[in-house]
Structure formats: structure tokens, C-alpha cells
């Protein structure tokens, strides 16, 4: 009873799957990556050098309509992950769910030297749960 969402490299190559439950299973999401691959999933749609970092693929897909996006598929971003993001885009916006705001601040502080600019975008509501008007206002004003 899970949906398989592909994990995509910065160039769009599949490198694994997230098996996500929408029926209350725990854990809600299971990451299954190919050997040696990162769990980050990229949605590079714009020539802009900015990228928004979110927790999950549904939020990244919604955000990618407005700017480049990457899903951490969790709330952690190690050094190797941050380097991969920095090699893709130079300006990062950390937009983790409201309950992970302190973690977003920690990630900004830990990885800020890898990016030209780095900031936290506090969220009142998870990006995947926002209505289109609110999402448009949030990401266009960034």
C-alpha cells in the first residue's frame, strides 16, 4: 500500500525510489537508493541559480513549478549532500517543515560557506499542503 516515487539526480537520472504511504503506515516513507547513490531528489526546471531545499518529494515537485527544488527525503543534509546541492545551484533556500525550523537554521549554519547565499524560509504550512495562491506568494517573493 505504498506509492513509489523516483529519486532523481541533478540531471534527471533515476537513482532510487521513495516508497510513500498515504494510508497511515509507519514509517510514512521508505528510501530505497541504488548502490552508492544519494537520497537527494532534484527538480531542476529553471535557469535560476536558486534552489529550495525541502523534506519530501511531493513538496519538491510543487515548489519546482516556481524555482529549482531538491528533496532531502528526510531532514538531514550531510556534507556530501550539501556539496551536491552547491554544485547544482549557488543560492539555497532552506524550507523545511515548520516542526523542523531549528534544523533548517542548523543546516544553514553548517553549510553556509558552500553557497553564494543561504537563508531559511520559515513555513506556516508544509509546501505540499499549501493552496496554489499561497505557494505562489511564498515562492515568488523569496
Amino acid at each position: 500500500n505504498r506509492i513509489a516515487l523516483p529519486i532523481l539526480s541533478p540531471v534527471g537520472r533515476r537513482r532510487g525510489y521513495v516508497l510513500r504511504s498515504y494510508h497511515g503506515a509507519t514509517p510514512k516513507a521508505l528510501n530505497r537508493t541504488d548502490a552508492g547513490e544519494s537520497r537527494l531528489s532534484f527538480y531542476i526546471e529553471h535557469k535560476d541559480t536558486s534552489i529550495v531545499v525541502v523534506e519530501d518529494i511531493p513538496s519538491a515537485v510543487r515548489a519546482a513549478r516556481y524555482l529549482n527544488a531538491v528533496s532531502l527525503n528526510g531532514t538531514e543534509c550531510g556534507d556530501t549532500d550539501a556539496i551536491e546541492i552547491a554544485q547544482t545551484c549557488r543560492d539555497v533556500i532552506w524550507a523545511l517543515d515548520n516542526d523542523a525550523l531549528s534544523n533548517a537554521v542548523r543546516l544553514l549554519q553548517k553549510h553556509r560557506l558552500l553557497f553564494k547565499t543561504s537563508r531559511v524560509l520559515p513555513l506556516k504550512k508544509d509546501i505540499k499542503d499549501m493552496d496554489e495562491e499561497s505557494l505562489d506568494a511564498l515562492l515568488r517573493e523569496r
Side-chain angles (χ1 to χ4, degrees):
N1 290 330
R2 292 180 182 269
I3 294 173
L5 305 169
I7 297 172
L8 303 174
S9 75
V11 296
R13 183 180 49 80
R14 189 202 55 77
R15 57 189 190 183
Y17 294 97
V18 170
L19 304 174
R20 186 172 178 88
S21 171
Y22 288 94
H23 302 288
T26 55
K28 187 186 319 182
L30 300 169
N31 295 327
R32 299 290 185 255
T33 57
D34 297 343
E37 290 287 352
S38 169
R39 71 184 186 293
L40 299 181
S41 192
F42 287 84
Y43 302 87
I44 307 299
E45 305 289 329
H46 309 276
K47 293 182 184 196
D48 191 349
T49 62
S50 296
I51 192 164
V52 62
V53 179
V54 298
E55 290 182 32
D56 55 52
I57 289 174
S59 293
V61 169
R62 296 268 334 268
R65 181 169 178 208
Y66 301 94
L67 69 155
N68 296 318
V70 60
S71 169
L72 296 177
N73 293 317
T75 58
E76 288 304 315
C77 183
D79 294 342
T80 304
D81 297 331
I83 290 168
E84 185 175 35
I85 295 168
Q87 289 171 337
T88 304
C89 292
R90 299 298 299 149
D91 305 298
V92 68
I93 301 165
W94 302 95
L96 304 186
D97 297 351
N98 190 37
D99 63 346
L101 181 59
S102 63
N103 193 48
V105 171
R106 182 183 62 78
L107 293 174
L108 176 141
Q109 292 170 341
K110 180 179 179 183
H111 300 302
R112 72 173 357 138
L113 296 177
L114 291 172
F115 302 98
K116 180 180 172 188
T117 64
S118 183
R119 68 182 187 94
V120 170
L121 181 62
L123 300 176
K124 293 179 183 169
K125 193 178 208 180
D126 187 351
I127 287 175
K128 70 178 169 283
D129 298 327
M130 288 181 167
D131 62 62
E132 206 60 39
E133 185 177 313
S134 299
L135 184 57
D136 179 66
L138 177 77
L139 296 180
R140 288 206 192 270
E141 72 183 31
R142 61 181 165 91

